[in-house]
Amino acid sequence: MSGGAVRGAAQVGMLREVLSAGIFPDAVVAVSAGAFNGLPIANDPSMRQVDLLEEIWREVATDPPVRGGTLRTLVSILRGRPGFDSGERLRKLLEEHVPVANLGDTLIPIHVGTTAASTGRLCWWSEGPSVDVLCASAAIPGVFPAVPLTDGDLHLDGGVLSNVPLRHAVTLRPTRLVVFDVAADFLPPERQTALTLMLTGFRAATTELTRQEWLDVPPDIEVLHIELRDPGGGLDLDFGETDPLFEEGAGAARAAIAASDWLNPG
């Protein structure tokens, strides 16, 4: 389950269609927004959890975890703060909704990716404090502050190094992969902002790493790639678009399933 900021809402629609088709996970590999969606599913891969995720994302739409503005961003930079946002609202959201206190307590294994700030190393967590690890995995550089984890390091968004975490999924030796891909593309010039321009290098590197990860997927693994098309591109933090994203994600999943031979998994 990829990262994608607010585009993560589309994964909820994708999950609804995938579970409705009788496709259920044996493990979840996720980063950033994908980890937010993936943890409840790892704990209970059911429609009940999909319904709950829809409720949570609608709550997020009315009370977003990220608040900003030009003045606030400028003040944060001048004061040397570690992020444009304190991350407190995101933490509160997670504290209210994570289904288990420790990642190791889920029904099926979950693997959540973070980036170690002192080494640039990609770290995978299948145990550890759920709220802390999910906060770290969603800590977009410059937007949210890095989060200290139990290894003593500060950690950032796992999507920095693996925004569509195929390589780690492959190490689990699956026969099938369902890829929930909501990664955003680049913004056209007329939609660029100071923040998106600052993150362009990050986005370019992430895009190239994702291309390389796709090349590493063995040809004998069956892949159902559910991709949310991104005609506009960019770092989308408009949390008011969650309901349309549910529908777009569901439509992408229906199309991917219909074009595959996964309708009757066995």
Side-chain angles (χ1 to χ4, degrees):
M1 301 186 77
S2 79
V6 70
R7 291 163 57 83
Q11 291 179 339
V12 181
M14 294 174 180
L15 283 165
R16 184 174 295 283
E17 296 299 322
V18 167
L19 296 181
S20 294
I23 303 168
F24 293 90
D26 296 306
V28 175
V29 179
V31 296
S32 198
F36 177 78
N37 293 324
L39 182 59
I41 296 300
N43 192 56
D44 177 17
S46 70
M47 284 298 187
R48 179 174 54 197
Q49 292 304 312
V50 176
D51 291 339
L52 178 60
L53 280 168
E54 280 195 359
E55 292 177 13
I56 295 171
W57 276 98
R58 288 193 176 106
E59 177 185 327
V60 167
T62 60
D63 190 16
V66 181
R67 287 187 178 175
T70 303
L71 179 59
R72 181 173 176 176
T73 298
L74 179 60
V75 169
S76 295
I77 294 171
L78 293 176
R79 290 182 177 176
R81 290 178 180 169
F84 298 157
D85 190 278
S86 68
E88 292 175 3
R89 299 176 66 81
L90 175 62
R91 177 171 289 274
K92 183 175 182 293
L93 176 72
L94 292 170
E95 288 173 345
E96 291 175 353
H97 294 295
V98 293
V100 291
N102 191 293
L103 296 179
D105 293 335
T106 53
L107 181 65
I108 63 173
I110 184 168
H111 304 255
V112 177
T114 65
T115 301
S118 68
T119 63
R121 184 170 60 92
L122 182 60
C123 301
W124 290 99
W125 304 82
S126 54
E127 293 186 357
S130 299
V131 171
D132 288 347
V133 175
L134 264 62
C135 278
S137 190
I140 301 169
V143 178
F144 292 118
V147 178
L149 294 181
T150 54
D151 63 353
D153 206 344
L154 294 172
H155 287 259
L156 295 160
D157 191 342
V160 171
L161 294 176
S162 186
N163 200 38
V164 184
L166 296 162
R167 192 168 287 158
H168 187 73
V170 166
T171 68
L172 304 179
R173 298 187 176 181
T175 56
R176 286 179 158 189
L177 285 177
V178 181
V179 182
F180 296 81
D181 183 356
V182 296
D185 206 340
F186 295 93
L187 276 170
E190 66 273 11
R191 291 185 56 199
Q192 291 284 6
T193 67
L195 177 58
T196 60
L197 285 169
M198 185 187 75
L199 294 176
T200 294
F202 158 65
R203 175 65 48 74
T206 298
T207 300
E208 175 58 21
L209 289 170
T210 297
R211 186 189 69 81
Q212 293 178 19
E213 290 203 39
W214 274 111
L215 294 175
D216 290 342
V217 176
D220 59 335
I221 296 179
E222 294 181 61
V223 178
L224 180 64
H225 184 197
I226 306 173
E227 183 180 14
L228 182 67
R229 295 296 179 181
D230 186 20
L235 177 68
D236 192 348
L237 295 176
D238 182 1
F239 287 88
E241 296 298 315
T242 53
D243 273 298
L245 284 167
F246 293 155
E247 294 303 318
E248 290 178 38
R254 286 192 296 269
I257 294 170
S260 74
D261 58 357
W262 285 50
L263 285 174
N264 297 297

